[in-house]
């Protein structure tokens, strides 16, 4: 039972870590750090952090199993899952509001579900209750995220938080993006493209894990490839030494935390969860980030709750558990079929 619950627990904890990463990143951007420079630092620092784990835990297993097909899949994973996903997402955040960015990022579960069907990683149907639960649950998750982000409604008075962090509010308020940037059409477009890149990574990672599983080593190799890609992009964007400076404490903290958690730890955990439960299981946890971010935003930044956010949160939770229930039934049925085949083999 504990082993069955572990992937879900890890994915939930991952969302809390992402909220902390979001807060650090926003404060670093407000301090003048270019998003592309942060992504470049994130990949390089993550490579330094993850490499020792790959060496000590998997040094005897990685190289004998590497072939051209695996190396090509690793390159595609680094391109879609690290470089394109993060770069496009940062561009979307720059040209739109954080609310719109978070909302559109929740297209990932629906896109992953659709992309997994041609590869026979997911099945679509309407005959059984579990099939209906997966389809409707995915729709509810995405629909709840959209409602939570785009429909405001009446203000709900939940009181003042004693954890209100005025320093962070002042820093982000004085240096935030302008309203003109937030209304740009390019912002939502970039975020939608980043969702496609993320879904593509989930699918490619699943294909690779079916033949080769070495989470530390594969993640280190992908970070090495992504480091080269992201540094080149950042250098094209920023040529000055000042733009790459990490003398500011918030810049250094943001880059280190993004690397240690957002890249090194998060990618290892997601790769492991994908190998155990498949791509839809991992991507369906993304909407939880909206709920956690809303609570943390109220507690630290004194953000307000509205009817739209509460109803949207309820839809996300209902949809999430519907999909997880459908996935659990799929897994149980698969185990039952394998067990019956094993019994027949034993009888013969």
């Amino acid at each position: 039972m504990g082993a069955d619950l572990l992937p879900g627990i890890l994915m939930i904890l991952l969302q809390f870590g992402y909220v902390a990463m979001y807060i650090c990143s926003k404060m670093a951007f407000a301090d003048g750090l270019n998003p592309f420079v942060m992504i470049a630092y994130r990949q390089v620092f993550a490579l330094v952090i993850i490499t020792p784990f790959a060496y000590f835990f998997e040094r005897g297993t990685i190289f004998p199993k590497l072939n051209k097909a695996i190396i090509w899949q690793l390159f595609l994973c680094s391109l879609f899952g690290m470089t394109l996903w993060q770069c496009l997402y940062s561009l979307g955040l720059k040209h739109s509001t954080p609310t719109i960015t978070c909302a559109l990022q929740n297209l990932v579960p629906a896109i992953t579900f659709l992309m997994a069907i041609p590869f026979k990683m997911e099945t679509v149907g309407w005959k059984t209750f579990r099939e209906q639960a997966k389809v409707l649950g995915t729709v509810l998750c995405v629909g709840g995220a959209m409602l939570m982000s785009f429909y405001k409604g009446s203000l709900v008075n939940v009181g003042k938080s004693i954890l209100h962090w005025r320093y962070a509010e002042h820093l982000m308020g004085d240096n935030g993006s302008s309203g003109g940037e937030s209304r740009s059409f390019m912002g939502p477009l970039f975020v939608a493209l980043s969702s496609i890149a993320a879904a593509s990574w989930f699918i490619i990672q699943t294909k690779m894990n079916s033949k080769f599983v070495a989470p530390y080593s594969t993640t280190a190799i992908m970070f090495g490839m992504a480091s080269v890609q992201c540094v080149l992009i950042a250098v094209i964007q920023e040529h000055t030494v000042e733009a790459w400076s990490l003398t500011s404490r918030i810049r250094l903290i943001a880059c280190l935390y993004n690397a240690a958690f957002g890249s090194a730890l998060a990618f290892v955990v997601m790769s492991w969860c994908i190998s155990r439960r498949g791509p839809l299981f991992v991507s369906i946890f993304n909407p939880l980030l909206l709920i956690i971010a809303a609570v943390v935003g109220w507690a630290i930044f004194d953000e307000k709750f509205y009817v739209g956010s509460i109803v949207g949160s309820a839809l996300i939770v209902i949809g999430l558990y519907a999909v997880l229930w459908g996935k659990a039934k799929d897994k149980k049925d698969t185990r039952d079929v394998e067990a019956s085949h094993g019994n027949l083999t034993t009888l013969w």
Side-chain angles (χ1 to χ4, degrees):
M1 177 64 71
D4 289 338
L5 292 176
L6 184 58
I9 294 172
L10 289 176
M11 288 305 303
I12 292 173
L13 292 176
L14 211 60
Q15 308 312 310
F16 282 95
Y18 275 131
V19 172
M21 186 179 71
Y22 171 77
I23 292 172
C24 290
S25 298
K26 288 292 293 180
M27 293 177 68
F29 294 155
D31 194 53
L33 183 63
N34 186 294
F36 290 105
V37 174
M38 173 181 281
I39 292 170
Y41 275 126
R42 173 176 174 174
Q43 311 296 14
V44 174
F45 289 165
L47 175 63
V48 173
I49 293 169
I50 199 66
T51 298
F53 292 93
Y55 176 78
F56 286 111
F57 291 113
E58 298 172 350
R59 64 181 181 272
T61 61
I62 178 69
F63 291 107
K65 297 180 181 180
L66 282 179
N67 53 48
K68 291 182 179 179
I70 296 298
I71 293 174
W72 173 244
Q73 289 174 336
L74 286 169
F75 171 76
L76 291 178
C77 284
S78 71
L79 181 63
F80 285 99
M82 297 178 179
T83 302
L84 289 178
W85 184 5
Q86 294 177 28
C87 287
L88 290 169
Y89 185 84
S90 296
L91 281 173
L93 182 60
K94 180 180 179 180
H95 294 288
S96 65
T97 63
T99 299
I100 293 175
T101 304
C102 289
L104 292 176
Q105 187 66 18
N106 284 287
L107 291 171
V108 173
I111 296 173
T112 304
F113 185 80
L114 294 174
M115 292 181 68
I117 295 170
F119 295 98
K120 299 182 179 179
M121 297 177 186
E122 297 292 341
T123 57
V124 130
W126 200 253
K127 294 181 180 179
T128 64
F129 191 61
R130 72 168 184 272
E131 291 174 333
Q132 296 170 6
K134 287 195 298 182
V135 174
L136 289 176
T138 301
V139 173
L140 285 175
C141 279
V142 177
M146 298 299 104
L147 179 66
M148 186 177 178
S149 298
F150 295 120
Y151 173 70
K152 200 170 185 179
S154 303
L155 176 66
V156 177
N157 187 13
V158 293
K160 296 278 290 185
S161 169
I162 61 173
L163 301 176
H164 185 38
W165 192 8
R166 295 194 178 279
Y167 167 74
E169 181 192 36
H170 176 74
L171 178 64
M172 294 172 66
D174 287 347
N175 299 282
S177 61
S178 66
E181 270 191 327
S182 67
R183 293 183 178 89
S184 171
F185 170 77
M186 297 304 295
L189 176 61
F190 283 132
V191 179
L193 291 174
S194 76
S195 299
I196 296 174
S200 301
W201 173 63
F202 289 143
I203 299 299
I204 298 168
Q205 184 78 40
T206 303
K207 281 290 186 180
M208 185 177 68
N209 284 342
S210 65
K211 297 180 180 179
F212 180 71
V213 179
Y216 294 110
S217 301
T218 54
T219 304
I221 293 172
M222 286 188 287
F223 279 134
M225 295 176 175
S227 295
V228 176
Q229 298 162 7
C230 293
V231 167
L232 288 175
I233 294 172
V235 168
I236 292 172
Q237 289 288 319
E238 291 288 356
H239 310 286
T240 63
V241 176
E242 291 79 8
W244 290 78
S245 173
L246 294 180
T247 53
S248 168
R249 183 179 300 176
I250 188 61
R251 289 190 182 194
L252 181 61
I253 291 173
C255 289
L256 289 175
Y257 183 77
N258 271 263
F261 174 82
S263 290
L265 180 60
F267 273 85
V268 168
V269 170
M270 285 193 294
S271 297
W272 183 82
C273 290
I274 287 172
S275 69
R276 294 298 188 276
R277 296 294 182 86
L280 180 62
F281 177 85
V282 171
S283 64
I284 202 66
F285 280 87
N286 287 358
L288 273 179
L289 182 60
L290 271 175
I291 302 174
I292 301 169
V295 175
V296 173
W298 166 78
I300 296 179
F301 300 116
D302 196 28
E303 294 183 1
K304 307 300 181 183
F305 281 112
Y306 294 89
V307 171
S309 62
I310 295 175
V311 175
S313 299
L315 289 176
I316 290 170
V317 172
I318 295 171
L320 172 63
Y321 284 106
V323 173
L324 294 181
W325 181 85
K327 291 287 292 180
K329 291 292 290 182
D330 282 344
K331 188 175 181 181
K332 181 179 182 301
D333 290 348
T334 301
R335 286 200 300 261
D336 291 343
V337 170
E338 290 175 351
S340 64
H341 286 170
N343 293 334
L344 288 173
T345 303
T346 304
L347 289 174
W348 281 103

